[in-house]
Amino acid sequence: MNNIQEKQGRLIQAPAAGQTAFSVLAALSFTHLLNDTLQSLVPSMYPLLKDSFGLTFGQIGLITLVSQVSASVLQPAVGFYTDKRPQRYALAIGMFFTMTGLILLATTSHFGILLLSVGLMGTGSAVFHPEASRLARMASGGRYGMAQSFFQVGGNAGTSLGPLLAAMVIIPYGRGQTAWFALIALLAIVIFIRLGNWYGRNMGNVLRKPAGRSGDTVLSRRTIGISIGILLLLIFSKYIYMASLTNYFTFYLISKFGVSIQNSQLYLFAFLFAVAAGTYFGGPLGDRIGRKYVIWVSILGAAPFALILPYANLLWTSVLSCVIGFVISSAFSAILVYAQELVPGKVGMIAGLFFGFAFGIAGIASAVLGFVADRTGIEFIFTICSYLPLLGLFTGFLPDTEKK
């Protein structure tokens, strides 16, 4: 038994000072892929759920609201608690909630139980993101932007796989096939137990207060508070716009261009794959040139393409959606690490706040956009949301936190 434990310990080891534990980052990125693949199955199934349950767009928005709010409300609380009392097996427990939600989603015939199932899946996501983000920072070896992007790219890749798997498995063969995806959750639980062992061996790194970095600018509390507010505003603009695409892009394509449900899933996959591809560049680029510049380009840089998209034909709609996804996706890692450096020592709380706010605002936006679409048409919401990336102009009010 001791030999087995020693072999397992050698597979995921703590990095030496200044070194990056790529085995841990790879495991976190892979489990992020698994987690977000499972989470993205729900919006990918919206056309199927709409037909089988006889739902309105407002009810579809309500499903997203329950999912995203359950994922968002708990995240800052989880991060705040585990900043003080790290929990080595929290990730495995969170994934158990997700697995339970998947089984209910596959078997229920009642709308209330459907809401409960997505709420359980959201709870699992609420535990996952702040804790996994903390482990990514622990394993970064000081390359915080790269580590967060590496971690994030797995999640975005998983989000892009959801529509593809739904088109291949669930839509042709029925909602009951969703139960098979509980095996993916079980695989993630096994990996999380292994990561929990590594976490336990390196928990002293979590409890140790970080020293300030030489060359960083010292900011007042007021400046920090204003900066956090601006960053949350940028998250507001990014994730409401992303919610319009992630949750209603398939309906937009079906309504405006008459594409089939299965083909609409492929267009959504292309958009989400572009999001995954663009995610990685924000973190490492922020490590090199400064995170503020990456935020500028990512949010505001998407605005021209977003403004053109509602007036494009099918070909250019698919092209523009991929360009927007690639450009705007680089923002989150840069925003998150920028915020963590504004408030050192609160890695989990900041991660929970920003992940939670992102999920919560996306959920509320999905519900509101659904009710608006019921009254004005699906194409109208893409026109009004196209102006949101212009809020990237507020990036100019962020302080330069790093001396070059």
Side-chain angles (χ1 to χ4, degrees), residues 35-311:
N35 179 80
D36 284 22
T37 295
L38 299 177
Q39 298 292 332
S40 67
L41 288 176
V42 176
S44 301
M45 293 169 61
Y46 281 169
L48 181 64
L49 294 174
K50 188 176 189 294
D51 291 339
S52 61
F53 283 85
L55 304 178
T56 65
F57 284 122
Q59 287 175 310
I60 288 173
L62 184 59
I63 293 172
T64 305
L65 177 64
V66 171
S67 174
Q68 301 287 45
V69 169
S70 63
S72 64
V73 171
L74 289 176
Q75 286 204 41
V78 170
F80 180 79
Y81 180 80
T82 54
D83 276 337
K84 296 183 176 181
R85 299 176 181 85
Q87 305 295 316
R88 60 194 296 182
Y89 296 121
L91 291 170
I93 294 170
M95 186 54 67
F96 178 78
F97 283 104
T98 298
M99 185 170 66
T100 304
L102 277 169
I103 295 171
L104 288 177
L105 178 63
T107 57
T108 186
S109 58
H110 300 283
F111 183 65
I113 303 299
L114 177 63
L115 293 178
L116 174 62
S117 70
V118 298
L120 286 171
M121 294 177 68
T123 301
S125 184
V127 176
F128 172 78
H129 286 94
E131 281 299 278
S133 181
R134 183 202 313 283
L135 262 69
R137 191 171 180 89
M138 284 175 62
S140 68
R143 300 166 65 185
Y144 303 126
M146 182 280 299
Q148 284 298 328
S149 284
F150 195 9
F151 167 63
Q152 281 293 112
V153 77
N156 289 126
T159 301
S160 71
L161 285 176
L164 190 63
L165 292 173
M168 294 172 59
V169 178
I170 298 174
I171 292 175
Y173 300 106
R175 181 165 50 91
Q177 303 302 312
T178 309
W180 289 104
F181 290 93
L183 295 175
I184 295 178
L186 188 61
L187 171 62
I189 289 172
V190 173
I191 298 173
F192 285 147
I193 291 172
R194 295 286 303 280
L195 285 171
N197 295 334
W198 181 87
Y199 194 4
R201 291 193 299 270
N202 297 276
M203 205 167 282
N205 297 332
V206 181
L207 301 174
R208 196 176 300 137
K209 293 289 183 183
R213 295 182 307 166
S214 60
D216 284 1
T217 303
V218 178
L219 303 174
S220 67
R221 281 192 167 191
R222 182 174 181 274
T223 301
I224 291 172
I226 293 173
S227 300
I228 293 292
I230 292 172
L231 293 173
L232 290 174
L233 178 65
L234 298 177
I235 292 290
F236 173 89
S237 68
K238 176 184 186 297
Y239 275 88
I240 291 182
Y241 186 68
M242 291 290 284
S244 70
L245 283 167
T246 303
N247 295 301
Y248 296 106
F249 192 44
T250 54
F251 297 111
Y252 177 77
L253 295 172
I254 292 168
S255 172
K256 186 172 183 177
F257 303 111
V259 303
S260 67
I261 292 178
Q262 278 190 299
N263 285 339
S264 72
Q265 296 294 325
L266 298 178
Y267 284 109
L268 181 60
F269 166 74
F271 162 71
L272 294 174
F273 184 82
V275 170
T279 295
Y280 182 75
F281 291 94
L285 201 58
D287 287 338
R288 289 176 177 270
I289 68 172
R291 312 193 201 288
K292 180 177 175 179
Y293 301 109
V294 173
I295 298 169
W296 261 115
V297 174
S298 179
I299 303 293
L300 192 59
F305 308 106
L307 291 168
I308 295 171
L309 185 138
Y311 309 100

